[in-house]
């Protein structure tokens, strides 16, 4: 489900790039939709894990309230799911500001205005743990589409 969501957002960003919307608002909307979608999926995972452990009986039921804090379930899924996205979010923010600064410094020689947002969105979405080495396939797809 999350994999299809990320592929759809990357495809939407690629289509916006191809058809040159020349407006920055669609890319910012895609970035916001990506962040909210990932956060929503994280909360869904936490809730599903809570219900599973609660209904499983001992010893799993001792991992959820009232025996322990609900923060244990949040931490459990943060270390297994959220940490990859936190790292990719930090790298995408770093790319966004560094590319924007260097692009302005050198007279917009490296990127067009909307390509920086597309790059940051791609870096953030490729933090998905299901995307093992997917960045290679994404670059191959971009190379193939640029030849067309």
């Amino acid at each position: 489900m999350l994999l299809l969501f990320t592929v759809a957002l990357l495809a939407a960003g690629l289509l916006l790039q191809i058809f040159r919307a020349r407006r920055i608002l669609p890319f910012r909307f895609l970035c916001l939709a990506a962040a909210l979608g990932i956060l929503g999926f994280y909360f869904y995972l936490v809730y599903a894990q809570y219900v599973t452990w609660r209904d499983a009986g001992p010893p799993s039921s001792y991992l959820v309230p009232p025996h322990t804090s609900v923060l244990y379930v949040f931490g459990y899924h943060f270390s297994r799911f959220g940490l990859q996205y936190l790292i990719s979010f930090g790298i995408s923010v770093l790319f966004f500001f560094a590319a924007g600064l260097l692009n302005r410094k050198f007279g917009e020689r490296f990127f067009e205005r909307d390509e920086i947002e597309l790059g940051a969105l791609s870096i953030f979405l490729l933090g998905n743990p299901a995307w093992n080495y997917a960045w290679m396939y994404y670059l191959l797809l971009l190379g193939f589409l640029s030849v067309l």
Side-chain angles (χ1 to χ4, degrees):
M1 180 168 90
L2 185 63
L3 187 60
L4 293 176
F5 175 72
T6 56
V7 168
L9 283 176
L10 285 174
L14 185 62
L15 288 175
L16 282 173
Q17 176 68 23
I18 289 172
F19 294 116
R20 303 273 184 199
R22 289 290 179 206
R23 286 179 280 148
I24 212 70
L25 187 62
F27 286 105
R28 293 204 175 143
F29 174 74
L30 283 177
C31 292
L32 181 64
L36 291 177
I38 300 297
L39 191 62
F41 190 71
Y42 171 70
F43 284 123
Y44 166 74
L45 285 177
V46 167
Y47 178 73
Q49 189 70 51
Y50 171 78
V51 169
T52 302
W53 281 348
R54 182 192 65 195
D55 296 341
S60 297
S61 63
Y62 295 120
L63 299 174
V64 295
H67 303 288
T68 60
S69 171
V70 75
L71 293 178
Y72 178 76
V73 183
F74 278 100
Y76 176 80
H77 271 292
F78 180 75
S79 65
R80 284 161 181 74
F81 174 77
L83 191 60
Q84 291 93 351
Y85 278 110
L86 185 66
I87 292 170
S88 68
F89 177 74
I91 293 172
S92 69
V93 167
L94 181 69
F95 171 79
F96 178 77
F97 287 118
L101 179 74
L102 291 173
N103 207 30
R104 279 191 301 275
K105 183 178 179 180
F106 291 105
E108 297 190 6
R109 176 182 338 179
F110 304 116
F111 299 104
E112 292 186 17
R113 185 174 173 211
D114 51 353
E115 289 177 341
I116 296 173
E117 283 83 6
L118 181 63
L121 176 68
S122 300
I123 291 169
F124 173 64
L125 289 177
L126 290 176
N128 186 343
W131 283 97
N132 292 333
Y133 303 106
W135 57 273
M136 287 188 247
Y137 302 119
Y138 183 67
L139 289 176
L140 286 174
L141 175 68
L142 287 178
F144 176 73
L145 290 176
S146 68
V147 170
L148 294 176

